[in-house]
Amino acid sequence: MAKPKKASTTANIGFEEKLFTMADKLRNNMDAGEYKHVVLGLIFLKYISDSFMSLHAELKADVKNGSDPEDRDEYTSKNVFWVSEKARWDYIQKKAKEPSIGKIIDDAMDIIEKENPKLKGVLNKNYARPDLDKTKLGELVDLVGTIGLGDKENRSKDVLGRVYEYFLTKFASAEGKLGGQFYTPASVVRLIVEMLAPTKNQSVYDPACGSGGFFVQSEKFLEHHAGRIGDIAVYGQESNPTTWRLCMMNLAIRGIEANLGKEPADSFLKDQHPHEKFDLVMANPPFNMKEWGQPSLLNDKRWVYGIPPANNANYGWVQHFIHHLKPNGMAGFVLANGSMSSNSSGEGEIRKQIVDADLVDCMVAMPGQLFYSTQIPVCIWFLTRNKDNPRFKNRKGKTLFIDARKMGTLVDRVHRELTEEDLTKITETYHAWRGDKDCKKKYEDVKGFCKSVEQAEIVEHGYVLTPGRFVGAEELEEDGIDFEEKMKGLTVKLKEQVTQSDRLTKEIFKNLKVLGYGD
């Protein structure tokens, strides 16, 4: 049987593993969460310096045609950051062995922020702190200096994007539970983006955006479908200040313009886009979040379908997403499996109201071990404000259930990823059912995998949305053997196994007797 093709969800440019291993060896008494910002900050600095120097060389060679390598507008017009001499990588690398290398890097970050207002408050300027070993830091500078990142050739291959994604993945794995705060596994991000299939001029919103994975993947999706970076409008919010800065850097190096609000802030307590409505909402909010501020939000306008319980934010997030959808808007988001069936603290009633409003378009039960942050099983909800959207066929009163729990392949001892075949199968099933105009596949129910369900059937099941309840058991192929004949064969096999068991039991007691433990 052919080995399933791993989804191209992580970087694969040949040298990342070696690079990460080398970088990790330089780590000294520093946890992965802190070390991440040291390494990613240097990679960012190297990238914008390489980009600047590459364009500087091009402009210098074109002076006779009027180009001016010292004119900042030349760089701004091409979406390249201006980098002064003391912030350029060659200057920093020459100083790598000096005890003051930490301050030199902090100064470089400071200069870049002052000269590029878009980066104000984004860069890590904490390299001079006493507990950061300056010899190790200098070695890390030398290591990052070996990677070509921002010149024209490497930009065309998106080397930086792939190195950055690879490091984000590795750091998420190293941080375990904490890694989930900034990173959603790439195969999960791809599934949500490809299911929703963003189009040109749409707006995409993620109110718990972490490092910005949904934005990056949405832009990639557009590029693969004859679009360009910038064809969609990106809006987000993130409450963790360091993760917010990480996201700003992640988007800046890819040339993605985004509105992440004025500052890092909590989406429940300080919504940075309170009056905005979006075409698409994509999110992986914290699972089963407790103490999320419900007592101060009892009269909030977002709770159209009921006040979410104080001890679990799941249905607060669901209603926050719905509140921000345009009339034809759609949402795809990850929640813990409990959200599909919980009746505690009024959650069942809120889910009933959402089902009765005919907002639930598709439910996907996911395989376990997909996340770095938790081993609990998860599902993906897809909601839509209008099931009679003219872009698709009329699906009023219907919901698609997909059971993908048996999909995915282990990529290491504890982590699983969806394969390319898995992603295609789930996405095509949804698009065929939804009636996407460019989908060639014809939808049909498949026992054990998918079923199109009328709303009345969901009501019969008490408004529980677990796909396994609807899709049934997978049909097994008949082996063609007569029942009587099969029973005779199974009986003979059972006798053989019982005889063997008796023999082994006697052997065990015989050996125990030799050891002095028997009669």
Side-chain angles (χ1 to χ4, degrees), residues 315-338:
Y315 280 92
W317 284 114
V318 174
Q319 294 188 80
H320 180 86
F321 303 149
I322 296 170
H323 171 76
H324 280 290
L325 286 177
K326 286 182 177 179
N328 283 330
M330 297 178 285
F333 51 89
V334 186
L335 286 181
N337 272 3

Side-chain angles (χ1 to χ4, degrees), residues 268-269 292-304 306-310:
F268 288 129
L269 300 173
W292 53 280
Q294 186 251 35
S296 62
L297 297 168
L298 291 176
N299 297 315
D300 197 285
K301 64 182 178 183
R302 289 171 287 187
W303 316 146
V304 173
I307 299 173

Side-chain angles (χ1 to χ4, degrees), residues 46 99 106 179 188 193 215 245 387 391 433 460:
K46 174 73 163 54
D106 284 345
V188 176
V193 170
F215 305 141
R245 287 198 290 273
K387 290 186 180 176
R391 282 182 59 202
W433 176 82
E460 284 175 19

Side-chain angles (χ1 to χ4, degrees), residues 20 24 27 32-33 168-177 179 372 415:
F20 184 81
D24 203 41
R27 182 148 63 103
L168 282 173
T169 307
K170 296 293 283 187
F171 282 125
S173 178
E175 286 186 61
K177 190 174 182 180
Y372 295 106
H415 296 126

